Amino acid sequence: MSACEDLAVAPRDIDPRPPADGCADCLAQGRRDWVHLRICLDCGHIGCCDFSPQRHATAHFHDTSHPVIRSYEPGEDWRWCFVHEVMG
């Protein structure tokens, strides 16, 4: 069993719903100043990383308790568990 149960059961990928060309929350605010994008592996929400001014991926975790995100950057497939603070 993995040291992180959330990563062990999370999918490797998910289709975003709806398709997004950036951070859903930033776009709703009329912003495009994100640095990197992350996708929630529970619901497909696209949020900006913690290097971005608004940190919407982390805010989404705090609002929903969805534990695992994946990088939404081209060529990256790492995942992160907010609960256990581990990468997988």
Side-chain angles (χ1 to χ4, degrees), residues 8-77:
V9 299
R12 296 295 307 167
D13 203 359
I14 189 171
D15 291 326
R17 291 167 278 188
D21 65 351
C23 173
D25 299 303
C26 284
L27 291 171
Q29 296 172 353
R31 303 177 69 117
R32 296 189 69 83
D33 59 348
W34 58 81
V35 177
H36 298 289
L37 298 173
R38 310 294 181 235
I39 185 169
C40 173
L41 293 178
D42 274 344
C43 70
H45 179 270
I46 307 286
C48 54
C49 72
D50 284 355
F51 292 112
S52 302
Q54 302 300 308
R55 301 176 52 169
H56 285 124
T58 297
H60 178 74
F61 163 68
H62 290 296
D63 290 345
T64 65
S65 298
H66 294 165
V68 181
I69 58 169
R70 183 182 66 80
S71 174
Y72 199 61
E73 295 298 312
E76 295 182 357
D77 64 356

